[in-house]
Amino acid sequence: MRRLLVTGGAGFIGANFVHLHLREYPDDRVVVLDALTYAGNRANLAGLEGHPGFRFVHGDIREQERVEALLREERIDTVVHFAAESHVDRSIVGPDAFIETNVGGTHSLLKAARAVWLESDDAPADPLFHHVSTDEVYGSLEAGEAPFTEAHPYAPNSPYSASKAASDHLVRAYHHTYGLPVTTSNCSNNYGPYQFPEKLIPLMLINLLEGRSLPIYGDGRNVRDWLYVEDHNRAIERIIESGRRGEVYNIGGNCERTNLEIVERLCDLVEEAFGEDESLAARFPACPVVKGGHGRDLITYVKDRPGHDRRYAIDASRLRDELGFGPRESFDSGFRKTLRWYLENEAWWRAVMDGSYREWTRVQYGDC
Ligand code: NAD
Ligand code: TYD
């Protein structure tokens, strides 16, 4: 039985991780620590309130003393560190929060783990600090260049990726210098349930349902490697279980697509869904499909993101060869699940988009 502290567990990937973990390991203890920034939503953890192993703590990873107290009180043996500012466009407009949380917050957590696990008598057996990071730390690839291995030099280009790169280096240094047991994963772009609709896939999906334009940055030929969120979390579970301490693992979907390809495929799959379920036309009358049009007609090319990385691609052979891990979902199967989730959870994304979820979760859960 493990006792986990999941930072950022009310965000997109963290919440999916908590649901998956408690489904697969119902006897484990899972304490979520989340500051509930704009991206953190208590409703992402709905359904877990009565679970005996689950606890939600509203707090900031930068509060080192509070984190130390939590590690002691809950006898945490595994930290799974998701908490971060995560959106590249926001990091371009306002980098400070990225440095404060992603660099300062990660360092604060490392200090807390070191104090409790390495410098006190009541340390748990076999502790682990798992750091969740991104492929964006490696910079940008040209067409035809080999995908990123774990040995690829760091060359972060955005304030977001630079702050994640700094946090990766701190995690590595705490292992090398102090012997803190750590693992790190660098994953490609995720999509799936609970993703905040500022990121490409949920933004395009909701705009399409609502008949709004689909804004493609630049020429739409930037390439990302897409992975369904549950596959990412299954990989993290595998690393926590059997990953070598001090090691880094790349996680990818083996699914390189241009942004234009992604948006066009998404339009086709939404059209297919409208064909199969007549009730969707009444629910989303502004979707072009309803009037015999095509989602693709909404594609609009807009000004490019400054410093926009051209291509990310992951070589995940270490994860496959050492830990036997491969993704289960293809883009189509993962996207169909995602589409179904957004169709079944319209109230969730409407509340997230108009900001009313803050008030709703306060009434549901109090101020935590
Ligand atoms: P997200 O923005 O959806 O969620 C981040 C969560 O962290 C939110 O719940 C937020 O409230 C919380 N948080 C932010 N600052 C905090 C602080 N100071 N203290 C405590 N909690 C705080 O992000 P996500 O997309 O779920 O990403 C999770 C992690 O995975 C991040 O570390 C990100 O860098 C990494 N990652 C994301 C992707 C992706 O495609 N989304 C890909 C690879 C890696
Ligand atoms: P995003 O989801 O922001 O992830 P990241 O920047 O971390 O890869 O964007 C994915 C890709 O989609 C990226 O190349 C930028 C592009 N993009 C658009 O073309 N239009 C949009 O409205 C958004 C949000 C992203």
Side-chain angles (χ1 to χ4, degrees):
M1 181 202 165
R2 283 195 172 271
R3 304 183 66 88
L4 283 74
L5 179 70
V6 179
T7 72
F12 160 49
I13 307 176
N16 277 285
F17 178 85
V18 172
H19 286 290
L20 174 72
H21 192 87
L22 284 172
R23 231 175 22 244
E24 306 235 317
Y25 305 93
D27 296 332
D28 276 7
R29 178 74 168 158
V30 175
V31 179
V32 168
L33 175 66
D34 199 295
L36 297 180
T37 67
Y38 81 95
N41 187 346
R42 192 66 184 76
N44 296 356
L45 297 164
L48 296 175
E49 300 75 32
H51 196 293
F54 173 74
R55 176 180 171 196
F56 180 80
V57 177
H58 184 194
D60 197 301
I61 55 169
R62 289 169 293 176
E63 298 169 302
Q64 188 189 332
E65 281 180 21
R66 192 158 173 222
V67 173
E68 280 184 35
L70 203 54
L71 292 176
R72 288 204 167 87
E73 178 198 337
E74 290 282 356
R75 291 177 290 115
I76 298 293
D77 54 33
T78 308
V79 172
V80 192
H81 176 34
F82 292 97
E85 289 292 337
S86 68
H87 191 39
V88 173
D89 290 331
R90 284 180 190 254
S91 83
I92 294 168
V93 177
D96 295 61
F98 288 72
I99 308 306
E100 285 156 21
T101 284
N102 301 359
V103 186
T106 301
H107 189 219
S108 181
L109 274 180
L110 288 165
K111 285 191 286 182
R114 179 185 169 212
V116 176
W117 291 348
L118 302 182
E119 293 175 343
S120 62
D121 300 332
D122 54 355
D126 191 25
L128 176 68
F129 186 111
H130 180 73
H131 177 54
V132 180
S133 192
T134 168
D135 60 356
E136 302 191 25
V137 298
Y138 299 122
S140 184
L141 294 168
E142 295 300 327
E145 267 191 277
F148 301 129
T149 66
E150 291 82 357
H152 198 94
Y154 272 40
N157 288 317
S158 72
Y160 163 66
S161 53
S163 68
K164 291 297 292 186
S167 68
D168 293 7
H169 292 321
L170 284 168
V171 171
R172 178 191 152 87
Y174 266 64
H175 176 71
H176 189 82
T177 303
Y178 304 115
L180 192 74
V182 305
T183 45
T184 294
S185 50
N186 293 87
C187 188
S188 60
N189 286 61
N190 284 212
Y191 64 97
Y194 303 112
Q195 188 167 29
F196 198 87
E198 63 186 353
K199 304 276 168 61
L200 182 76
I201 288 188
L203 179 98
M204 295 294 174
L205 170 56
I206 291 170
N207 280 10
L208 174 55
L209 293 174
E210 301 271 274
R212 287 192 293 267
S213 70
L214 308 178
I216 304 248
Y217 298 165
D219 63 5
R221 311 231 169 259
N222 302 67
V223 173
R224 299 290 183 265
D225 174 1
W226 293 95
L227 182 68
Y228 187 61
V229 64
E230 194 162 297
D231 279 326
H232 182 184
N233 284 329
R234 286 187 191 284
I236 292 174
E237 294 280 13
R238 193 69 62 83
I239 295 166
I240 291 170
E241 255 169 52
S242 322
R244 278 184 289 142
R245 281 22 187 175
E247 195 53 279
V248 174
Y249 294 89
N250 282 353
I251 308 173
N254 207 12
C255 177
E256 278 188 65
R257 300 280 187 282
T258 65
N259 293 335
L260 192 57
E261 283 170 337
I262 287 292
V263 173
E264 288 181 344
R265 188 69 193 137
L266 185 153
C267 290
D268 294 347
L269 292 172
V270 167
E271 236 163 277
E272 180 188 285
F274 273 65
E276 287 166 1
D277 180 352
E278 285 175 11
S279 72
L280 292 178
R283 286 176 61 195
F284 303 103
C287 183
V289 183
V290 176
K291 292 163 217 130
H294 296 288
R296 292 171 182 225
D297 302 339
L298 297 174
I299 290 174
T300 312
Y301 291 90
V302 299
K303 192 166 171 291
D304 207 354
R305 169 189 283 173
H308 196 174
D309 284 338
R310 195 63 177 166
R311 172 175 168 242
Y312 305 138
I314 280 278
D315 177 340
S317 46
R318 175 178 288 167
L319 187 66
R320 184 193 63 219
D321 297 346
E322 275 186 24
L323 304 181
F325 182 85
R328 291 183 184 174
E329 303 293 344
S330 66
F331 182 75
D332 279 12
S333 68
F335 181 73
R336 284 196 180 98
K337 287 186 175 181
T338 306
L339 173 60
R340 198 175 320 129
W341 188 88
Y342 278 83
L343 290 173
E344 285 169 4
N345 292 277
E346 186 182 347
W348 179 90
W349 53 262
R350 289 210 185 278
V352 165
M353 290 180 81
D354 70 17
S356 63
Y357 75 100
R358 288 258 164 262
E359 179 57 14
W360 184 80
T361 51
R362 199 185 62 72
V363 173
Q364 289 279 110
Y365 306 106
D367 286 324
C368 311

